Amino acid sequence: MSLQLFGHPFSSYTWKVLIALWADETPFEFRMLGPDHPENGDELRRRWSFGQFPLLVDDDRSVAEATCIIEHLRAHHPGPNRWIPDGELGRRVRFLDRVFDLRVMANMQAVVFDALRPAEHRNPADRSIARERLRTAYDWLEVNLNQSPWAIGEQFTLADCAAAPSLFYADWVEEIDQRYPQLKAYRARLLAHPVVARAVDEARAYRPFFPLGAPDRD
Ligand SMILES: N[C@@H](CCC(=O)N[C@@H](CS)C(=O)NCC(=O)O)C(=O)O
């Protein structure tokens, strides 16, 4: 068996998969993307023409999309964590995974990507819509994410793998302030989880590249 993960330590979706791999203690080779490793970028684009990451290579099979990668790992390289439980709880996990990816991560990324554009191509109106949508997501999560310690209760699942990077970076874009005590506390619990803390630490060196300026916290 040979598992390789193409990604970057500062990338939110790479974290999502790293958290699952590390929590299961699954051995893999990390194929770092970036200017020092052009061969990894070339292979990523050869295998997944969209060029987005993370990408898992299992022997010679390429698996894209963070959620699908975690489902693949559970099916073919299972560890102690049951990332998607059966039945109603599993459906709740899948739903929350979509909420974190589509309502939190996507709006966080929209603001970050806009800031990465040359000044003349930036769009303040789109950015303010994305921030407003982030606040709508926080409002919804504050009321509906009422389990503890994790998204569905005692079990750490795919929903928490999605929540950790999305809430980590969303807070840097649009602060999760005192209006959201439950959500803030959930984010703090996630950041205290050993594998999430590892992802945060391994990304620390790249903070100067955060286009909006990384806040002095976390
Ligand atoms: N839907 C994809 C999204 C992956 C994604 O947005 N990855 C970002 C890094 S966090 C990326 O590839 N950015 C570079 C690009 O879009 O070209 C997933 O769930 O894996």
Side-chain angles (χ1 to χ4, degrees):
M1 162 195 106
S2 129
L3 283 180
Q4 300 174 51
L5 185 73
F6 289 75
H8 190 279
F10 203 43
S11 134
S12 50
Y13 278 106
T14 303
W15 281 24
K16 183 170 166 180
V17 173
L18 284 174
I19 288 166
L21 283 163
W22 289 337
D24 275 344
E25 298 187 23
T26 305
F28 66 100
E29 180 192 352
F30 191 61
R31 301 283 303 270
M32 172 88 161
L33 298 165
D36 294 340
H37 306 276
E39 70 287 0
N40 291 343
D42 290 346
E43 186 171 344
L44 169 72
R45 280 182 295 277
R46 207 164 46 245
R47 289 181 170 277
W48 183 232
S49 50
F50 301 96
Q52 284 201 313
F53 45 95
L55 181 82
L56 184 81
V57 177
D58 184 350
D59 284 330
D60 202 34
R61 178 171 169 195
S62 302
V63 186
E65 296 292 329
T67 294
C68 303
I69 294 173
I70 294 173
E71 289 206 64
H72 176 93
L73 289 169
R74 176 67 205 165
H76 299 284
H77 306 276
N81 292 283
R82 189 88 188 281
W83 296 115
I84 306 179
D86 289 335
E88 198 52 46
L89 272 183
R91 285 189 282 282
R92 175 80 178 157
V93 165
R94 282 197 173 84
F95 170 63
L96 290 173
D97 177 63
R98 295 301 78 217
V99 171
F100 286 115
D101 274 17
L102 302 177
R103 310 291 169 190
V104 182
M105 199 91 101
N107 289 310
M108 175 278 288
Q109 283 185 324
V111 177
V112 171
F113 290 160
D114 192 67
L116 285 169
R117 290 193 187 115
E120 66 275 20
H121 294 305
R122 289 191 199 138
N123 189 332
D126 283 355
R127 232 170 33 225
S128 79
I129 289 170
R131 286 182 188 281
E132 197 178 310
R133 287 180 176 163
L134 270 180
R135 286 192 299 274
T136 302
Y138 297 168
D139 287 337
W140 188 88
L141 288 163
E142 182 65 21
V143 173
N144 289 283
L145 197 71
N146 49 12
Q147 299 297 317
S148 180
W150 309 122
I152 59 154
E154 291 300 319
Q155 197 177 340
F156 191 81
T157 66
L158 170 71
D160 303 293
C161 296
S166 59
L167 293 175
F168 178 80
Y169 286 112
D171 177 68
W172 285 13
V173 163
E174 182 68 26
E175 189 175 356
I176 301 170
D177 60 23
Q178 70 288 347
R179 283 171 296 174
Y180 307 104
Q182 304 293 338
L183 188 57
K184 207 174 165 62
Y186 173 54
R187 181 179 182 275
R189 282 194 300 279
L190 284 167
L191 297 199
H193 189 295
V195 293
V196 179
R198 179 174 172 186
V200 172
D201 278 341
E202 295 198 5
R204 215 170 274 283
Y206 301 96
R207 288 185 183 197
F209 296 104
F210 192 68
L212 304 165
D216 190 17
R217 56 179 183 266
D218 304 323

